Amino acid sequence: DDGLSGSATRTALKNCVNTIESSPSKALRVFTRELGRNEADGEDDKYILWYNAATGTKFATTVAWCAISASWANRRGGVNETRYPNFSSCSASLKVFEKSGLVKNPKTYKPKSGDLIYFDWDQNGTPEHVGMVFSYDGKYVETIEGNSSDAVRHKKYLANSKYISKYVEIK
C-alpha cells in the first residue's frame, strides 16, 4: 500500500468530516481536503510559503513540512495561535505542548479527531514526524499527515505501535 487514497476514499473521508464543527475538527476537515497534494507536483510549496509569510522565516521550499502543514491546517480551521502556535519543528512544538499540559501518553490516552499524533521512527526519544488524528477505534488510529512520503496522506496504524510517541489534545 502506497498510503495514497483513491478518489472514492478521499470523497468518503471528506464527506465524513463535513459535519464536524469544533475548531480542531475543522482543522482536520481542512487537512482532509488536502489529500494527495505532493512534492512531485510542487503542491507542498503553499504550506511553506504560508509559514514563511506568517512567521517571517525564509525556509526553502525543500524544508521538511509535516509540522508546517499541521500549523497551516489549524490556522485554516480557526484554531487560535494561542492554542496552537505555528511550528516548523516536531520537537519544538512538543516541548511547548508539554509545558501547556496537553501532551498525552499513547499507552493510556484515547485520541480524538483533530488531536496531534507524534511519531518517533528511530526510537531515540525525539519525534521526527507529526500528523493529525482522523479516527480511533480502540485498535487502530487513522491519520492525515503532511510530508508522509512527500505527500498529504491518509494512514492507518495499530494504536499500540511503538512508533507513536505522543498525542497532543487540541482543546
Side-chain angles (χ1 to χ4, degrees), residues 6 16 45 55 63 75 110 112:
C16 180
D45 293 355
T55 64
V63 71
R75 286 297 84 64
K110 295 178 180 168
K112 298 178 294 304

Side-chain angles (χ1 to χ4, degrees), residues 136-142 156-161 164:
Y136 169 76
D137 68 6
K139 184 173 182 178
Y140 292 99
V141 61
E142 294 187 48
K156 185 176 184 177
Y157 303 90
L158 282 169
N160 64 357
S161 169
I164 299 172

Side-chain angles (χ1 to χ4, degrees), residues 26-79:
K26 284 182 184 178
L28 179 62
R29 182 173 54 214
V30 167
F31 213 12
T32 301
R33 290 183 183 136
E34 298 297 298
L35 284 168
R37 289 199 179 274
N38 63 79
E39 288 182 14
D41 296 335
E43 296 172 326
D44 64 312
D45 293 355
K46 78 176 192 176
Y47 310 116
I48 300 162
L49 295 173
W50 164 83
Y51 187 85
N52 285 344
T55 64
T57 55
K58 295 183 177 162
F59 288 128
T61 54
T62 55
V63 71
W65 51 278
C66 62
I68 290 172
S69 61
S71 294
W72 178 90
N74 274 284
R75 286 297 84 64
R76 294 295 184 277
V79 177

